[in-house]
Amino acid sequence: YSGTGIAANGTFITNDTPNDLGFYLITGITGTRNGEKITGLQAPGTPMPGNEPFDVDDLISLNTQQLTGKGFAYSTSEGHYSSPFFANFLPKPGYLEMFSAPTRPGLKNLGLEDSELPISFSATIITIP
């Protein structure tokens, strides 16, 4: 995915069978965001640090809307967190990325170094034999 000042790419590992709405559970992630190595996937049902109390669900689909409103989240090698999600509450629904850099003890929710910006998001399937 990408946006103003944002360049992220990588690979998801998912379960093999989608749910009734066509969403697969992401179980692993590798890649980079703005040159920082992605180091971990946030567990479903928990919030990304700096974005409490908004839990992620780690679901992705090959349908037109590829992420849910909860999205997925990951950590990077520099201690940052990112969470792409589908924002159906916007006048023109689309994807946003919540970015958090919780560098100060006790930091909760949006701080000066955090952002929520529009992104373009696209995922394709690669089957590994």
Side-chain angles (χ1 to χ4, degrees):
Y1 66 92
S2 63
T4 302
I6 303 167
N9 62 59
T11 302
F12 299 119
I13 299 169
T14 66
N15 62 351
D16 292 335
T17 306
N19 66 18
D20 292 343
L21 299 175
F23 285 89
Y24 294 83
L25 178 66
I26 301 168
T27 59
I29 186 173
T30 61
T32 61
R33 182 196 182 278
N34 289 359
E36 296 178 26
K37 183 179 177 183
I38 294 172
T39 56
L41 181 67
Q42 185 71 32
T46 64
M48 172 184 87
N51 198 32
E52 297 86 358
F54 301 104
D55 294 345
V56 299
D57 61 17
D58 292 353
L59 296 176
I60 190 163
S61 173
L62 295 175
N63 297 328
T64 303
Q65 180 187 323
Q66 294 193 296
L67 299 176
T68 68
K70 292 186 174 197
F72 67 95
Y74 59 87
S75 57
T76 70
S77 57
E78 298 297 316
H80 299 133
Y81 297 90
S82 182
S83 179
F85 64 97
F86 188 75
N88 61 359
F89 56 82
L90 295 173
K92 182 180 176 190
Y95 296 103
L96 294 176
E97 180 208 57
M98 172 62 201
F99 175 79
S100 177
T103 57
R104 295 186 305 262
L107 178 67
K108 289 196 180 215
N109 289 326
L110 290 175
L112 295 176
E113 62 285 327
D114 299 340
S115 63
E116 188 172 72
L117 299 172
I119 58 169
S120 296
F121 183 90
S122 178
T124 58
I125 193 166
I126 300 171
T127 304
I128 299 174

